[in-house]
Amino acid sequence: MDRPPVSRGFRSTRQASEATRLPPGQYLTTDFPVLSAGPTPEIRVADWKVGLQLGGSLLGKWTWDEFEALPQSKITVDIHCVTKWTKFDTVWQGVSFDDLLRAAGVSEPPSAYVMAHCDGGYTTNLPVADLVAGRAMIATRYEGLPLAPAHGGPARLLVPHLYFWKSAKWLRRIRFMPNDEPGFWESRGYHNYGDPWREQRYDGD
Amino acid sequence: MTATDALPQQPRIAWQTGRVHAILDETSRVKSIILEPATWSGHWPGQHVDIRLTAEDGYQAERSYSIASPPEEKLLTLTVERVDGGEVSSYLLDELRVGDALEFRGPIGRHFIWSRTRGGPIFLVAGGTGITPLMAMLRHRRRSLAHTPASLIYSVRSLADAVYRDELDAMAQDDRDLRLVYALTREQPSNWSGHWGRVNEMLLANNSFAREHDPSIFVCGPTGFVESISSMLVKLGFDPFSIKTERFGPSGG
């Protein structure tokens, strides 16, 4: 590949300490931008349920109170949005995907892929391997406080090692599927897997 | 089998080097960069490109910019607003010159798009430089002679902050199917008969299309603006699925 042309007069303003923690093409932000395809839904926890689905059957279903009673995990992670911002050391609390499977009595995931379904019709696809072994949770708290609606509250998926659109907001259902199928952004020009360290932003990256 | 080989691979959207054909001052904080691509197979109004800058030491920075020009034009227009402390926007506004090479790739995104084949009407709500992708839609509508009924509510601090103001005024002047409404949030001329202050539900209701006409709704601007407008639209009874949003983060760069 050709070397990219040098942009005359362009100099880095980045701190050296940031360099190793930022995936290629990302910049550091200290606030928390909001990116969504449409309006933010208003969801009352009294009406909220989340389900784990295989084909036509439910493997598990939890009301808000039932979900809150599941084992809680806390993690501090860097998050990376495909629109180029990265935020360091974000603190989340919720139920790990492993604990959710355990609560549903599922010892072995029944297929290799899932589709996450959300309020507002948004979907995103993920390999199960990227959700298990402590790699993902359903988050209900950010920095110790209930997750704000604009950031996906009351509950969102959190898969911090992939671009942040994979951490679907307003999660309602996780459906196991035998084959990989593209979700919402994945059918609209964005990469199917979305690894920020390999800069998999768009189709074909 | 790995996770990434399950679906057919699309061709990569390749980086290319364009030439800066012209730079236009739009407002005191905004310029348009007219770019001549090396190769371009067209775009949908509403799509964006990624810009990549490379320093002598190899450091690179990338940002996304909406395309403001319609697919009918060979040159691409990117409209850039100064972000305080933004390394990319300050380079594009202060350093970049006509004739310079600029690395970019695109077009990107297939959600926040409209073309005349979708039909209408279209209801557009812009906050500040959120006008950019909506301008591509209006320019495409104009150039393709689409008589799609269209309405634009454009929220800016003052008239002087309205990007493309002359072009928009001229467009609306001789087009009965296009309604143009400014909402001036901070500063209004003494004889101003238009809307004062932030966009509210009544302004939206009075300048939108009836739900039975199935309008496509596009809202673009800073996060707080888009959150407020889109929730008002839902309250007014518009189907959330008909409302497409694009939020400019408060940080950006």
Side-chain angles (χ1 to χ4, degrees):
Chain A
M1 205 182 94
D2 291 343
R3 278 178 54 111
V6 169
S7 315
R8 177 189 47 74
F10 177 62
R11 271 172 297 277
S12 168
T13 55
R14 177 188 286 181
Q15 305 294 313
S17 57
E18 297 170 10
T20 53
R21 277 176 80 179
L22 281 173
Q26 296 293 107
Y27 67 88
L28 186 64
T29 184
T30 50
D31 48 36
F32 197 168
V34 175
L35 279 302
S36 320
T40 295
E42 281 177 34
I43 304 160
R44 294 164 8 126
V45 293
D47 304 327
W48 184 87
K49 280 186 203 64
V50 71
L52 198 58
Q53 183 192 355
L54 174 65
S57 62
L58 276 178
L59 302 173
K61 191 173 85 173
W62 296 267
T63 64
W64 180 256
D65 290 343
E66 290 163 349
F67 191 76
E68 287 277 274
L70 297 178
Q72 298 284 309
S73 305
K74 228 185 209 178
I75 52 166
T76 301
V77 286
D78 298 348
I79 53 175
H80 313 291
C81 180
V82 70
T83 64
K84 322 266 173 2
W85 56 263
T86 283
K87 191 169 168 60
F88 289 162
D89 300 322
T90 60
V91 183
W92 304 84
Q93 185 187 322
V95 176
S96 73
F97 190 71
D98 303 309
D99 283 332
L100 196 72
L101 290 184
R102 220 165 282 139
V106 177
S107 52
E108 192 67 28
S111 68
Y113 299 95
V114 298
M115 187 71 84
H117 294 262
C118 305
D119 275 294
Y122 178 78
T123 56
T124 194
N125 55 315
L126 291 144
V128 172
D130 286 86
L131 302 180
V132 295
R135 303 185 86 192
M137 68 158 59
I138 298 170
T140 54
R141 284 174 186 72
Y142 174 70
E143 308 283 354
L145 296 171
L147 194 53
H151 290 303
R156 77 181 297 164
L157 204 56
L158 179 69
V159 194
H161 64 283
L162 299 179
Y163 280 125
F164 213 44
W165 88 78
K166 293 286 186 181
S167 294
K169 295 173 178 179
W170 313 305
L171 183 73
R172 294 308 283 265
R173 192 158 45 96
I174 297 178
R175 175 170 63 88
F176 283 100
M177 50 186 190
N179 301 307
D180 200 8
E181 292 165 30
F184 182 91
W185 291 114
E186 295 83 1
S187 338
R188 288 165 177 79
Y190 287 79
H191 195 272
N192 189 57
Y193 182 67
D195 179 352
W197 294 97
R198 287 186 279 166
E199 208 172 0
Q200 294 173 333
R201 296 181 195 277
Y202 312 121
D203 267 355
D205 276 355
Chain B
M1 190 169 82
T2 67
T4 43
D5 64 11
L7 292 175
Q9 279 282 306
Q10 301 287 322
R12 187 163 196 264
I13 305 169
W15 290 102
Q16 60 164 298
T17 304
R19 274 178 65 82
V20 178
H21 178 85
I23 298 175
L24 310 177
D25 288 322
E26 299 280 9
T27 73
S28 61
R29 292 174 61 84
V30 178
K31 289 183 186 179
S32 285
I33 296 164
I34 319 281
L35 198 57
E36 192 182 336
T39 139
W40 196 250
S41 52
H43 62 275
W44 299 100
Q47 287 190 298
H48 72 270
V49 299
D50 280 2
I51 296 272
R52 181 164 74 179
L53 303 180
T54 303
E56 292 278 0
D57 63 1
Y59 168 76
Q60 294 187 319
E62 294 178 28
R63 295 293 184 278
S64 298
Y65 289 98
S66 291
I67 303 168
S69 45
E72 288 79 8
E73 271 173 35
K74 282 204 175 108
L75 300 172
L76 294 176
T77 302
L78 310 178
T79 299
V80 179
E81 179 177 24
R82 184 177 303 280
V83 175
D84 295 324
E87 58 178 356
V88 174
S89 69
S90 57
Y91 175 83
L92 295 175
L93 296 174
D94 301 334
E95 294 288 338
L96 194 71
R97 299 283 178 269
V98 171
D100 279 353
L102 187 62
E103 204 185 13
F104 76 102
R105 65 172 180 155
I108 295 157
R110 293 201 298 272
H111 171 62
F112 196 86
I113 54 174
W114 177 78
S115 92
R116 59 175 306 205
T117 53
R118 163 65 178 78
I122 49 172
F123 180 32
L124 313 176
V125 189
T129 44
I131 187 69
T132 306
L134 308 182
M135 193 61 183
M137 297 176 191
L138 288 174
R139 284 169 166 166
H140 166 63
R141 175 183 169 278
R142 176 95 170 173
R143 289 286 289 271
S144 64
L145 304 175
H147 294 287
T148 314
S151 178
L152 168 67
I153 298 179
Y154 187 6
S155 170
V156 278
R157 274 174 270 193
S158 71
L159 277 182
D161 291 303
V163 187
Y164 321 123
R165 186 178 154 215
D166 292 346
E167 186 179 344
L168 283 170
D169 289 346
M171 255 189 208
Q173 188 87 50
D174 61 356
D175 184 345
R176 291 174 47 203
D177 296 318
L178 171 63
R179 182 188 291 222
L180 168 64
V181 176
Y182 294 100
L184 304 184
T185 59
R186 299 249 179 103
E187 237 178 85
Q188 302 83 12
S190 53
N191 62 345
W192 181 244
S193 58
H195 185 79
W196 294 56
R198 291 175 176 221
V199 175
N200 55 31
E201 270 183 51
M202 191 183 284
L203 190 72
L204 289 171
N206 289 343
N207 295 286
S208 55
F209 299 94
R211 274 167 287 161
E212 52 269 30
H213 292 134
D214 185 28
S216 301
I217 306 176
F218 295 90
V219 185
C220 187
T223 296
F225 176 84
V226 172
E227 286 295 310
S228 128
I229 300 295
S230 56
S231 55
M232 284 191 269
L233 290 169
V234 172
K235 238 190 254 171
L236 286 170
F238 289 100
D239 179 358
F241 287 102
S242 68
I243 306 169
K244 295 186 175 181
T245 62
E246 193 153 275
R247 295 158 171 87
F248 290 179
S251 57

